[in-house]
């Protein structure tokens, strides 16, 4: 069998935050290691404040660790200059957050097309793919609506479509269904699993819902600054 490709790897990550006056530093990540295989779905669970979001931001190049390295497809992102990193991130990673982070002044279609437009794709091509992705998530009828005119579930489906715009290698999702009802949660998750099967995108999902975690290939628990299989 062919060896599995590693799309994302963290080696010996440390991250601390200064605490309030007179208090000790907060040691959030303490020598954390992680490997994500191509086409895998990994869930990370952990109590509130255990460092899940901090980890996801560091893995996605939105924040930096105090020590340790992050590799995307074998390339050490800590060696990239910020402009190059932003460009690389836009192509390599699709982010989905708990709150949608859609741009309020743009329509659903424009929001989805944005990552491709930023990457220099022609309008025609970008909007055609954005349309396809809106179809995929069953929200093509809402394409000309702005975020405030969409329901929470629709906003999150638009976010997911946007995350997929540039054919990322990996989706990093931070409690993407945390604010959704069961129906919308199922739609989002079913779509994630279908996408993995259809295009082989890898998924790293932070969740506090046990049923969701149990559908993934593997569950890791973030505790005392490191990850362990649950
Ligand atoms: N920028 C920051 N400055 C200081 N403390 C922070 C910062 N970001 C996160 N923290 C603290 O680090 C800990 C981990 O936060 P976070 O990664 O958001 O946890 P989780 O997502 O698991 O709930 C928390 O105690 C939080 O208050
Ligand atoms: Mg969090």
């Amino acid at each position: 069998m062919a060896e599995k490709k590693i799309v994302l790897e963290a080696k010996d990550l440390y991250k601390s935050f200064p605490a309030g006056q007179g208090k000790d530093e907060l040691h959030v990540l303490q020598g954390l290691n992680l490997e994500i295989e191509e086409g895998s779905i990994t869930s990370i669970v952990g109590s509130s404040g255990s460092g899940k979001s901090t980890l996801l931001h560091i893995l996605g190049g939105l924040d930096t660790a105090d020590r340790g390295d992050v590799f995307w497809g074998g390339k050490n992102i800590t060696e990239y200059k910020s402009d190059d990193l932003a460009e690389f991130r836009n192509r390599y990673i699709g982010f989905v957050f708990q709150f949608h982070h859609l741009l309020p002044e743009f329509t659903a279609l424009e929001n989805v097309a944005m990552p491709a437009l930023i990457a220099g794709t022609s309008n025609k091509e970008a909007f055609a793919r954005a349309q396809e992705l809106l179809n995929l998530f069953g929200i093509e009828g809402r394409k000309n609506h702005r975020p405030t005119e969409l329901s929470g579930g629709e906003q999150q489906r638009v976010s997911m479509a946007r995350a997929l715009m540039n054919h990322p290698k990996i989706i990093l999702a931070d409690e993407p269904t945390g604010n959704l009802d069961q129906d919308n949660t199922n739609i989002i998750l079913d779509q994630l699993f279908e996408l993995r099967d259809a295009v082989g995108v890898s998924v790293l999902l932070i969740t506090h819902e046990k049923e969701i975690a149990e559908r993934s290939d593997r569950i890791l628990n973030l505790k005392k600054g490191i990850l362990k299989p649950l």
Side-chain angles (χ1 to χ4, degrees):
M1 271 212 341
E3 214 174 290
K4 275 283 182 187
K5 265 201 224 156
I6 303 297
V7 289
L8 187 71
E9 184 178 11
K11 273 194 183 159
D12 212 22
L13 292 184
Y14 285 81
K15 180 77 174 179
S16 298
F17 291 113
Q21 277 199 334
K23 292 199 189 132
D24 287 339
E25 269 198 329
L26 195 61
H27 301 290
V28 179
L29 305 182
Q30 306 184 61
L32 181 144
N33 291 293
L34 172 67
E35 277 188 1
I36 302 289
E37 279 184 4
E38 187 164 44
S40 66
I41 299 193
T42 304
S43 286
I44 292 183
V45 298
S47 53
S48 178
S50 60
K52 304 179 299 296
S53 296
T54 302
L55 172 63
L56 211 75
H57 293 156
I58 292 172
L59 294 176
L62 296 173
D63 194 1
T64 53
D66 300 331
R67 218 173 96 195
D69 295 297
V70 174
F71 299 88
W72 293 349
K75 292 195 178 73
N76 192 342
I77 66 159
T78 49
E79 290 166 3
Y80 277 71
K81 289 199 289 280
S82 66
D83 286 0
D84 296 339
L85 180 63
E87 196 190 318
F88 192 18
R89 177 173 53 227
N90 188 32
R91 283 186 286 116
Y92 202 83
I93 308 257
F95 284 102
V96 185
F97 300 98
Q98 182 171 6
F99 301 98
H100 58 75
H101 292 256
L102 295 169
L103 299 169
E105 65 272 35
F106 293 98
T107 65
L109 187 74
E110 290 163 344
N111 267 285
V112 175
M114 200 63 72
L117 296 172
I118 289 169
T121 308
S122 72
N123 276 10
K124 190 171 167 226
E125 202 181 313
F127 285 117
R129 175 157 171 81
Q131 179 73 55
E132 258 174 49
L133 286 164
L134 288 176
N135 292 346
L136 185 71
F137 284 95
I139 39 171
E140 62 278 13
R142 318 291 289 160
K143 70 176 183 182
N144 294 321
H145 293 260
R146 291 192 165 73
T148 52
E149 300 161 341
L150 301 171
S151 72
E154 288 168 343
Q155 289 168 350
Q156 209 53 326
R157 283 188 266 165
V158 173
S159 304
M160 194 77 89
R162 179 186 55 180
L164 287 159
M165 188 66 199
N166 286 344
H167 307 274
K169 281 284 182 201
I170 181 162
I171 301 277
L172 300 180
D174 193 349
E175 304 197 29
T177 60
N179 287 315
L180 302 183
D181 59 25
Q182 203 55 49
D183 283 353
N184 276 299
T185 295
N186 289 338
I187 290 170
I188 298 271
L189 290 172
D190 289 346
Q191 211 48 254
L192 266 185
F193 281 81
E194 271 176 40
L195 276 162
R196 186 273 299 271
D197 296 341
V199 302
V201 68
S202 316
V203 180
L204 181 60
L205 183 70
I206 292 175
T207 180
H208 56 264
E209 294 176 70
K210 200 157 172 277
E211 315 89 81
I212 297 172
E214 279 168 357
R215 288 181 62 177
S216 53
D217 299 322
R218 137 179 109 129
I219 310 174
L220 300 172
N221 188 21
L222 179 52
K223 200 174 170 185
K224 295 185 179 159
I226 59 167
L227 289 168
K228 281 194 180 150
L230 195 70

